[in-house]
Amino acid sequence: GFSSSPSNKLLHKHFPSSASSTLLNLVYRRGWRRSFCRCLFFFLIGLLFGITPFGQMDTDIRPKDFASPDLRPPHVHLQSDDPIFSYVALGVNTQLEQHNEVTDSIEPLKQLIVVTPTYNRGFQFYFLNRLGQVLRLVKPPLVWIVVEEKTVSLETAQILRKTGVMYRHVVSTRNSSDVKDRGVHQRNAALEHIERHKLDGIVFFADDDNVYTLELFESLRTTSRFGTWPVAMLEQSKNKAIVEGPVCNASRVIGWHTNEKSKRLRRFHVDMSGFAFSSTILWDPKRWGRPFSNPIRQLDTVKEGFQETTFIEQVVEDESQMEGIPPGCSKVMNWHLHLDTGNVVYPKGWLLEKNLEVILPIK
């Protein structure tokens, strides 16, 4: 230890114990101060060397001067006459012009207003469901106005809800027992509804027992004022089919197809499902230059077979205001079927409640 060293013994020999401890503390204190001063001196020298510039540093040092690879893409100068620049600019401008042309050329589709009178009978479910399945395939907008007599039946409302077509369920309160065409008052109720609510679109009378193609409804939107087309009619009593409708040169109506001698006195030989017209004729007569503003309705005082022509005479003046659909009028797109379904039992609620106990064994 420190007490057994020769220097310690020498201090105890010449100095008392208290004096020797004081002397030792003084030596240690001076050694600590000396070490601290040396460290501070070398620290200041190192700091001085660190902040003193020893030459001009090249500040324009690029990453390629180091060992690491250059990850930046090379700078390319594109001039206006550069073929690459011209190709890129031409491609972008062409795409923008094409996009603007497509945007400007897109026009909203005209709304179709399909009017269907119906009444409770055995085949009603089949007829309405068949027509509803066709209408649901037509591009919107389309509204189906279904008109019943006297009151709304739950069976008809159930059919309409299940078709998925936007519809309006209308009731005709007028008695149709004294009218040969029982759909006259029902169609008039639909016309009144269109006029009162100012529905804008193409009106088409589609009876529920006829057959329609999807092409017909797509062609209706080409109608400007009044469109007409040929209809194939199946005469059940004569067991033959006849065509009734316009003869066209392109879209211009130049004559009429008819095989019925009793109907040759009609002005326009058109079936009820063989024409369509703009709904604005009903509630905006000034737009079409109509000299009178009387409501356009079907007449219940005319003979059978003249219902169509007396109605059309209120909408147009002559064939010059008609449009043949499709151009040439060479396609039959719907059929008028005369089916006798009066003897078929109408099941209430579409439920069969009788003869359900009969079981036929499987052979």
Side-chain angles (χ1 to χ4, degrees):
F2 179 78
S3 59
S4 60
S5 62
S7 59
N8 191 21
K9 291 180 181 181
L10 182 60
L11 290 173
H12 279 284
K13 184 177 180 181
H14 297 281
F15 299 97
S17 58
S18 60
S20 61
S21 61
T22 302
L23 181 61
L24 289 175
N25 292 333
L26 182 61
V27 172
Y28 284 121
R29 189 175 301 171
R30 289 181 178 178
W32 178 84
R33 290 180 178 177
R34 188 181 299 110
S35 300
F36 177 77
C37 291
R38 289 179 180 177
C39 291
L40 181 61
F41 174 73
F42 286 112
F43 173 77
L44 295 176
I45 293 178
L47 181 63
L48 183 63
F49 275 100
I51 63 176
T52 303
F54 289 94
Q56 186 176 2
M57 183 178 294
D58 186 8
T59 58
D60 189 17
I61 299 179
R62 301 182 182 274
K64 63 182 180 180
D65 296 330
F66 296 92
S68 60
D70 187 6
L71 300 180
R72 297 182 304 175
H75 183 68
V76 179
H77 296 281
L78 292 179
Q79 303 294 332
S80 59
D81 56 349
D82 196 320
I84 299 179
F85 178 81
S86 302
Y87 174 77
V88 173
L90 179 60
V92 173
N93 293 335
T94 303
Q95 291 180 0
L96 291 177
E97 291 176 358
Q98 292 177 352
H99 176 72
N100 293 333
E101 291 177 359
V102 172
T103 304
D104 296 338
S105 63
I106 295 178
E107 296 181 0
L109 294 177
K110 295 180 181 179
Q111 179 174 240
L112 298 183
I113 306 173
V114 181
V115 175
T116 300
T118 187
Y119 59 97
N120 299 336
R121 61 197 190 279
F123 275 69
Q124 183 189 19
F125 181 87
Y126 167 69
F127 289 149
L128 282 180
N129 185 67
R130 180 181 62 181
L131 179 55
Q133 296 305 315
V134 176
L135 295 180
R136 72 183 299 177
L137 298 177
V138 180
K139 295 179 180 179
L142 181 146
V143 58
W144 190 17
I145 301 180
V146 179
V147 189
E148 286 193 284
E149 295 177 316
K150 298 180 181 179
T151 183
V152 171
S153 66
L154 297 178
E155 290 80 8
T156 303
Q158 181 183 7
I159 297 172
L160 297 179
R161 286 195 299 267
K162 290 184 177 181
T163 58
V165 180
M166 185 174 67
Y167 69 90
R168 297 191 180 187
H169 203 167
V170 180
V171 175
S172 173
T173 58
R174 297 193 61 179
N175 186 15
S176 301
S177 59
D178 57 342
V179 182
K180 293 183 178 181
D181 186 357
R182 62 186 307 164
V184 170
H185 294 318
Q186 293 173 272
R187 297 188 192 98
N188 285 339
L191 294 175
E192 183 181 355
H193 180 85
I194 296 171
E195 182 179 342
R196 182 171 65 252
H197 296 281
K198 292 184 176 132
L199 300 183
D200 192 2
I202 305 299
V203 181
F204 172 51
F205 297 124
D207 291 346
D208 57 1
D209 57 347
N210 292 349
V211 178
Y212 308 93
T213 62
L214 184 61
E215 182 182 2
L216 171 63
F217 294 96
E218 295 175 348
S219 302
L220 292 180
R221 289 193 168 100
T222 62
T223 303
S224 175
R225 175 171 182 163
F226 184 94
T228 182
W229 55 90
V231 177
M233 306 179 65
L234 178 62
E235 294 290 346
Q236 185 179 10
S237 59
K238 299 180 180 179
N239 194 22
K240 67 177 182 179
I242 62 175
V243 175
E244 188 175 44
V247 178
C248 303
N249 181 7
S251 297
R252 188 167 60 92
V253 178
I254 60 176
W256 302 96
H257 291 289
T258 180
N259 292 328
E260 295 295 324
K261 295 181 179 180
S262 61
K263 297 180 181 179
R264 289 183 179 179
L265 297 177
R266 293 190 302 174
R267 175 66 179 85
F268 304 111
H269 299 273
V270 186
D271 184 72
M272 187 63 71
S273 62
F275 65 91
F277 59 95
S278 174
S279 64
T280 56
I281 298 177
L282 300 175
W283 47 268
D284 191 7
K286 295 181 179 180
R287 176 179 177 180
W288 301 100
R290 289 177 56 223
F292 51 88
S293 59
N294 298 332
I296 297 178
R297 298 292 185 267
Q298 293 190 3
L299 306 180
D300 57 357
T301 57
V302 298
K303 296 181 180 180
E304 183 180 4
F306 289 82
Q307 190 61 243
E308 296 86 351
T309 185
T310 54
F311 177 79
I312 296 174
E313 289 171 359
Q314 302 175 63
V315 180
V316 295
E317 297 178 358
D318 52 32
E319 286 82 355
S320 64
Q321 297 178 344
M322 297 182 179
E323 309 150 46
I325 300 175
C329 301
S330 58
K331 288 185 179 181
V332 174
M333 297 180 290
N334 64 314
W335 293 262
H336 187 174
L337 306 180
H338 297 272
L339 301 179
D340 184 13
T341 60
N343 298 327
V344 180
V345 178
Y346 171 73
K348 186 177 181 180
W350 303 118
L351 297 177
L352 300 177
E353 300 177 353
K354 296 181 180 181
N355 300 327
L356 298 180
E357 69 278 3
V358 178
I359 300 177
L360 297 178
I362 300 177
K363 296 182 181 181

